[in-house]
Amino acid sequence: MKKIAVFPGDGIGPEITAAACGVLETVAELAGMEIDLQQGLVGGAALDVHGDPLPDESLQLALGADAVLLGAVGGPKWDGHPPRQRPEQGLLRLRKGLDLYANLRPAQIFPQLLDASPLRPELVRDVDILVVRELTGDIYFGTPRGVEIQNGLRRGYNTMVYDENEIGRIARAAFEAARGRKRKVCSVDKANVLETTRLWREVVTEVAGEFPDVALEHMYVDNAAMQLIRCPAQFDVILTGNMFGDILSDEASQLTGSIGMLPSASLGNGRGMYEPIHGSAPDIAGRDLANPLATVLSVSMMLRHSLAAAVWADRVEDAVRAVLDRGLRTADIASPGVASIGTRAMGESVVAALQQGEWA
Ligand code: NAD
């Protein structure tokens, strides 16, 4: 029996997780997999009930689960709260509590949605990138940090720091991921200027020795930012630290042009949390307008990385392709003037495609 903790969260969260859970339940039924879905509160929903964006019972639920599915958190209702009482704190504490150090964000172009990209179709047609971003270290967490007055001037400072273990484990995650893809890792750093990333390059090169079947190249972050626009199809797996990964993964996601299609996984020490990359979209919440496919594709990542069901992960992706092939679109991915369907109908269409065995 696999225990899945489900945190719908706020805004469109409940609608998109309901659709994704329908897909997961269908896969379990077809695959003869026993699953137990247990819902918990996080974000604004938890603040409203418990006065805490991550109550202990939610953290315990996540810690006891084989995998976590999360919708999204946040919304204007809680925007005025003090920093520790904000919904986003619940999400950050959940990631930290589970020690999820590897963030995997695929940016894949569905040919049916080529027109949604801000780049020309011929540039993005073959894009299939996986950004592997370190999530628990780097300048975001390094100390000392602060703002102080020195010689009468305000001065701000942060510390970029990685030890070799932190670099080694994220590098291994990237090389492992590459083995299931085109076996190419591009490690992004700024080794020409920053000592921390010089160590990064050294350790990544050492780890590459454990993966002789995967090709490694190194690229400076400024060049990587440029290459992602100039020739994005050259990349397979991009491996990078927390800050560079934050920026490059957002850049890569925009190549696809459709935020409602992009899933993510955060992994560490045998645990995994899966969530769409978008937020809680309060502007369309509760109106059956949200695109649930990013969350459905997050379920696909869960099947691959936490539930040892890669075949079914592929089948979920195939079912999504089949639904798009049929011309079914939620409003965010529909061309102007073309009719669209709602969140629920989109989820049900993927379920139907799975039931009809619409995979390659
Ligand atoms: P957002 O991603 O929620 O929305 C940006 C735009 O994209 C909106 O127009 C929205 O309607 C649209 N959109 C997003 N997801 C969609 C979907 N599945 N289908 C169709 N359209 C979709 O970002 P925002 O507006 O900057 O933030 C709204 C709230 O979400 C804020 O409170 C923010 O803090 C929070 N947020 C949460 C997460 C998370 O939970 N991981 C991530 C980002 C933002």
Side-chain angles (χ1 to χ4, degrees), residues 12 16 70-75 79 88 91 95 259-260 275-284 289-291 332:
I12 60 172
I16 54 177
L70 189 129
V73 299
D79 277 351
E88 293 78 5
L91 183 53
R95 286 180 185 149
I259 198 171
E275 53 184 314
I277 71 155
H278 57 71
S280 59
D283 51 331
I284 56 169
L289 280 175
N291 183 349
D332 58 309

Side-chain angles (χ1 to χ4, degrees), residues 173-201:
F175 283 103
E176 295 283 1
R179 278 191 164 155
R181 302 170 48 94
K182 291 183 220 135
R183 295 174 184 259
K184 272 169 53 180
V185 170
C186 175
S187 174
V188 173
D189 60 38
K190 189 71 183 168
N192 50 344
V193 178
L194 300 169
E195 284 78 359
T196 315
T197 73
R198 207 135 56 219
L199 175 68
W200 175 280
R201 188 174 281 218

